[in-house]
Amino acid sequence: MIDRTTALERLRAQVAAGKPIIGAGAGTGISAKSEEAGGVDMIIIYNSGRYRMAGRGSLSGLLAYGDANQVVVDMAREVLPIVQDTPVIAGVNGTDPFRVMGHFLDDLKRMGFTGVQNFPTVGLIDGLFRQNLEETGMSYSLEVDMVRLAAERDLLTTPYVFDLESTVAMTEAGADIVVAHMGLTTMGTIGAKTTAVTLEESVGRVQEIADAATAINPDVLVICHGGPIAEPADAAYVLQNTTGVHGFYGASSAERLPTERGIREQIEEFKAISFTGEA
């Protein structure tokens, strides 16, 4: 296990050297193994990773298809033993009413997780449904409380934030790395099609989040995620047009899109084989 102090020292040294932080979601052991081989800085596992690699949209992780926190524990048996020297972050459902959260976080640390992220998150829910969740005790503030408890336990905290209010709350709770979430990733067979913000709009939103976070804690790290920031060129565009943004975290971008392309193209090459030896 890599502890929080070591992980932060590595990440800050990398930023000081002018190199972006790259985090990646892993829904399977082979994803985690391949990401580490590529030099990823953090690996994050949560229930949507498992569903994503089963061919379902990432928002399935917000629906009642399983116990999100137990899914992460089950995934840990596959991912933690195969990762050699990379911090592994657990996606924690902070609104889970059936766990004593402090005890659960202690368990995750003992298992070998370096830190936590708030997922599933009600931050992705809006409108009347979100209002009802907040009014009935299933609020984003519980995710903030989870991050605060994790920080007290010296776990690396990498929460998703969505706007200025959530950014302030998570930074004040002790976030080490604020992840500016731009919504469901576009592209591919199960990506968002018409509801995502534009790349240009993302630049402004990410910058607002970075400014709000660093105004509270100048040492906080800020990375971007989701929406139209789907490919390396997209991440480069955001990082080159913002200040105080230190990297990118990809989930679908890191494992779903490469898998869709790679397997399809490999099969297409096999299908192009001729019995006569002619292409």
Side-chain angles (χ1 to χ4, degrees):
M1 171 184 169
I2 299 170
D3 62 28
R4 170 181 173 272
T5 299
T6 301
L8 278 174
E9 286 175 350
R10 288 186 185 180
L11 296 174
R12 287 177 175 149
Q14 186 163 304
V15 170
K19 298 178 181 178
I21 297 167
I22 302 298
T28 66
I30 192 63
S31 293
K33 185 175 183 178
S34 300
E35 288 161 0
E36 185 170 51
V40 79
D41 301 305
M42 297 183 295
I43 293 172
I44 302 90
I45 65 174
Y46 48 67
N47 65 337
S48 274
R50 176 59 52 87
Y51 300 146
R52 179 188 305 121
M53 298 310 284
R56 307 304 175 184
S58 295
L59 291 184
S60 57
L62 274 66
L63 297 177
Y65 299 147
D67 178 344
N69 285 330
Q70 186 58 47
V71 169
V72 167
V73 171
D74 294 341
M75 292 172 70
R77 298 170 55 200
E78 184 175 335
V79 172
L80 288 175
I82 209 167
V83 174
Q84 300 298 310
D85 191 40
T86 304
V88 180
I89 311 300
V92 176
N93 183 1
T95 64
D96 188 342
F98 301 109
R99 279 180 171 77
V100 178
M101 190 52 64
H103 294 170
F104 183 58
L105 294 172
D106 291 336
D107 290 342
L108 293 176
K109 188 170 184 178
R110 281 192 293 269
M111 290 174 63
F113 284 101
T114 298
V116 299
Q117 184 170 70
N118 57 321
F119 195 90
T121 173
V122 298
L124 282 169
I125 300 171
D126 56 16
L128 182 60
F129 184 40
R130 170 67 178 274
Q131 184 179 342
N132 290 161
L133 289 172
E134 297 283 343
E135 291 174 349
T136 54
M138 291 167 277
S139 67
Y140 187 82
S141 65
L142 293 177
E143 300 176 28
V144 176
D145 292 342
M146 182 275 291
V147 166
R148 184 177 292 108
L149 289 172
E152 291 171 359
R153 285 159 172 77
D154 204 33
L155 285 160
L156 187 72
T157 51
T158 70
Y160 280 137
V161 300
F162 304 88
D163 51 29
L164 296 182
E165 183 180 359
S166 58
T167 300
V168 169
M170 283 297 189
T171 308
E172 290 180 342
D176 297 306
I177 304 170
V178 167
V179 185
H181 200 308
M182 296 296 107
L184 184 65
T185 300
T186 61
M187 302 184 67
T189 60
I190 51 176
K193 298 294 188 292
T194 61
T195 55
V197 297
T198 67
L199 197 57
E200 292 74 18
E201 290 169 337
S202 290
V203 167
R205 290 177 57 179
V206 170
Q207 187 65 66
E208 286 183 353
I209 287 170
D211 292 344
T214 53
I216 296 168
N217 177 12
D219 294 326
V220 71
L221 297 168
V222 180
I223 62 179
C224 57
H225 168 76
I229 317 171
E231 300 287 358
D234 303 326
Y237 180 85
V238 173
L239 296 182
Q240 290 163 9
N241 287 278
T242 54
T243 57
V245 180
H246 307 106
F248 168 74
Y249 160 51
S252 294
S253 301
E255 61 172 354
R256 173 177 66 82
L257 295 178
T259 300
E260 287 182 5
R261 281 194 298 258
I263 293 177
R264 183 187 67 247
E265 291 171 3
Q266 184 81 340
I267 296 302
E268 287 172 350
E269 288 190 29
F270 278 119
K271 289 292 290 182
I273 294 173
S274 169
F275 287 115
T276 63
E278 297 176 358

